[in-house]
Each structure stands twice: as C-alpha cells, then as structure tokens.
Amino acid sequence: MELVARDPVPWLLDPGNPSVRVLALKHIFKRGPTELAEDQQRLLDWKPVAALRRHWDSINFWGRSDNPYFGGPVGNFGTLYLFAQLGVPRRSEIASACENLLTRGRHSEGYFAPQDVSAAPWLSFNGIALQVLTHFGYGDDPGALDAWNVMLTAFGSAPDHLGCALADRACRAGAVKALGALIHRNETQPTDRDAKAIEILCDYLLKHDYAWEGEDADWLLPRFPRYYDADIIELCHVLAHTPARDHPRAQAILRRMLALQDSLGRWSKMKTTPALSEERVLQPSRWLTFEAVHSLMLTYGDNAYAT
C-alpha cells in the first residue's frame, strides 16, 4: 500500500455504505458467502437498494418487459447492471428481470443488444449483460452460452477490431465491458478459449496510445455507477485481473490512475451518473477507491488484509 498516500481500506468498511463494505469484505478480506450473509442483508435493506426493490413491478419490473433496454440506465437492463455493480445478491425480483433479459434481450445475431444498436456498440451491451447474468447465476443459461459463443467467435475472427464497427473510444469501452465479463466467468482457471479472448482484449486495449490530455480525456473522469461508458479506474481494474497487468503499457495506465488520488489515498467521482446519486461529483468515492485499491492489490500482491 506504499503507492497510496494513506491506507483507505478502513474507510471502505464504513457500515453507512453496505455496498462498498460487502465488496471490500469479499474481494480484499476474502470473506466467504456465510461470513457475508449479514452484510448482504444490510445491503438489501439499504435505503437506495430497498427503494429500487419496492419500485419493482411484477409485469414490467423497472421499465418495459417487451424491451429490457427501454429506459437506459434506469430501465430493466440498467437496473440489473446497477445491482450487479453494487454487489447485490440475487432475489426473486432480480431473477425475473434476468429471465426476461434472456428471453427478450438478445439481438437476432445472438448477442445481447437492442435490435437497433445505435447508442453504443453491441460489445458494450453484450459485455454488460454477461456480467449481470454471471453475477446473478445465469452465466450458463443456454441463451447466455450462445452470446458467449458469438462474442468469442467475433474476437477470434477479428482480433484487430473485435467485430466492432466503430473505430473509436466506444469500442474500447465495449472491450472493457467484455473483459469484465470474461474475468469473472470462471472462478478458477479460464478455459483455453476464454484465455485467448482475454489476451486479445488486453492487446486491443493496450495497443491504443491514450491521449489523456486530448481525445481520451474522458477516461480521466471516474464515475460510478457506470453504464456503457468506461473510465481509467475500470480499465485498470479489469486489466489487473489478467496477466497483462505486468505489461509496460498497463503499468503506465496504472501510474496515471495513481495520480488521481487525493492526499488521503481516495479517488473522487468526477462525472455525473444518471442512476444512484449517493455520492456527489468532485467528492471522494468509496466505490471508486475500492476499485483502485483492489487494482493495486491484484497487480502488486500487497494484501495484508486477506488473512
């Protein structure tokens, strides 16, 4: 933790934010499901989460059942992604929305995306959907398996652009979402095919020459919760789960992330988000600080708390 101005981990355990507490206990302190049960219940009862659960409708959930993507970050798809980012455990209302996503959320080509993909490349939607479905225990559903296959096939046949028609930042954000899905697909060792896909994604993300003061300046504006965009902390976090963490370019990106911390070793939210305004812009964020610290621990192996 010598790279951090001051150890922020005790701050992450504040019971006032049960989401970050659960994430820290699970990923930093390596607590198991039984040990996390009480804290997960507090997360389910936490005011922002409880309010969303109360607003669930048995027919349309949080948006429209005929279109999971309706409503964007505050609709069914966005709310499921929010819950997954918060570490919320699966409950009946979440399960029904996941099953609706599996039924109504796949494009005719087999991946998860709206039929008219215009706001973001299909890679973003598919990566988010597979993150959500894996988190809530649907990663091996036949619909999810088809989407995995379509995505991995696209990577293998078009490793230079991942099958993404937009040669810009949106595709790199999509690659971050896809990598975020793959790194959590298998609890132990990834399959050979998954490992190859992870390698392709990392190569794609690291071959780009990031212009932090130019066209890539938005990456330096961390935000939480996220939708189909990405930032430098999320980029570092997914790379840190892979062997690419040791690549010189990954190390340079990590150093750029480190430069964003304050004197207390905390990272601030720098961009507004359309869902969950629990943390204010320009103020330290427990969620972002957790991801940054976890990235450092995964990269350098400095985790004195996992005992």
Side-chain angles (χ1 to χ4, degrees):
M1 297 295 287
E2 65 271 10
L3 296 173
V4 181
R6 185 179 298 181
D7 184 2
V9 172
W11 180 64
L12 302 180
L13 297 177
D14 188 328
N17 188 324
S19 166
V20 178
R21 181 177 170 85
V22 164
L23 294 171
L25 289 172
K26 179 178 181 180
H27 297 289
I28 295 178
F29 289 83
K30 306 299 182 184
R31 299 292 189 260
T34 302
E35 297 169 295
L36 289 172
E38 289 187 13
D39 285 290
Q40 285 184 325
Q41 186 57 53
R42 292 189 188 97
L43 172 56
L44 288 164
D45 296 337
W46 188 37
K47 186 176 179 179
V49 173
L52 281 170
R53 296 181 69 202
R54 284 197 305 273
H55 292 156
W56 175 83
D57 175 79
S58 61
I59 297 175
N60 285 307
F61 320 119
W62 297 279
R64 279 173 33 186
S65 60
D66 64 333
N67 180 6
Y69 305 101
F70 176 81
V74 296
N76 292 338
F77 184 68
T79 301
L80 285 174
Y81 187 36
L82 171 61
F83 281 153
Q85 291 176 85
L86 296 179
V88 173
R90 174 172 157 179
R91 289 297 183 268
S92 58
E93 65 272 17
I94 292 172
S96 60
C98 284
E99 290 160 10
N100 176 258
L101 176 62
L102 284 161
T103 303
R104 299 290 187 91
R106 289 175 61 207
H107 191 274
S108 58
E109 298 292 329
Y111 49 74
F112 287 95
Q115 290 299 324
D116 178 18
V117 183
S118 57
W122 69 270
L123 195 56
S124 287
F125 289 106
N126 199 62
I128 289 171
L130 292 173
Q131 286 187 46
V132 166
L133 293 169
T134 298
H135 176 78
F136 292 118
Y138 290 92
D140 291 329
D141 181 273
L145 291 175
D146 284 347
W148 284 115
N149 185 57
V150 170
M151 186 172 73
L152 297 180
T153 299
F155 296 167
S157 60
D160 291 334
H161 57 83
L162 309 180
C164 182
L166 305 173
D168 61 8
R169 180 183 182 279
C171 289
R172 286 186 288 280
V176 169
K177 304 303 179 183
L179 185 55
L182 276 165
I183 59 179
H184 296 299
R185 186 180 186 187
N186 295 294
E187 292 297 326
T188 54
Q189 190 76 9
T191 65
D192 290 344
R193 193 183 187 203
D194 286 358
K196 182 59 179 177
I198 289 170
E199 180 183 345
I200 289 171
L201 284 165
C202 291
D203 288 346
Y204 176 82
L205 289 166
L206 292 176
K207 73 179 181 182
H208 178 66
D209 187 13
Y210 292 88
W212 303 122
E213 311 305 324
E215 65 177 6
D216 294 308
D218 190 68
W219 286 86
L220 299 182
L221 301 176
R223 74 292 309 254
F224 190 95
R226 304 180 182 95
Y227 195 43
Y228 52 67
D229 54 355
D231 58 63
I232 192 170
I233 296 180
E234 185 180 13
L235 174 58
C236 286
H237 199 213
V238 296
L239 288 173
H241 285 80
T242 76
R245 68 177 76 89
D246 297 321
H247 191 285
R249 282 184 174 267
Q251 291 287 308
I253 294 170
L254 193 66
R255 288 193 296 273
R256 194 67 184 81
M257 182 199 77
L258 276 166
L260 299 179
Q261 68 178 302
D262 64 16
S263 61
L264 296 177
R266 301 172 183 179
W267 280 258
S268 292
K269 178 178 179 176
M270 300 302 293
K271 191 171 183 177
T272 57
T273 52
L276 192 73
S277 56
E278 192 67 20
E279 294 181 330
R280 300 174 63 183
V281 176
L282 304 181
Q283 297 296 316
S285 164
R286 285 184 169 85
W287 281 294
L288 293 170
T289 299
F290 158 73
E291 288 186 1
V293 169
H294 192 222
S295 299
L296 294 170
M297 290 179 172
L298 289 170
T299 301
Y300 299 114
D302 182 13
N303 189 353
Y305 297 100
T307 58

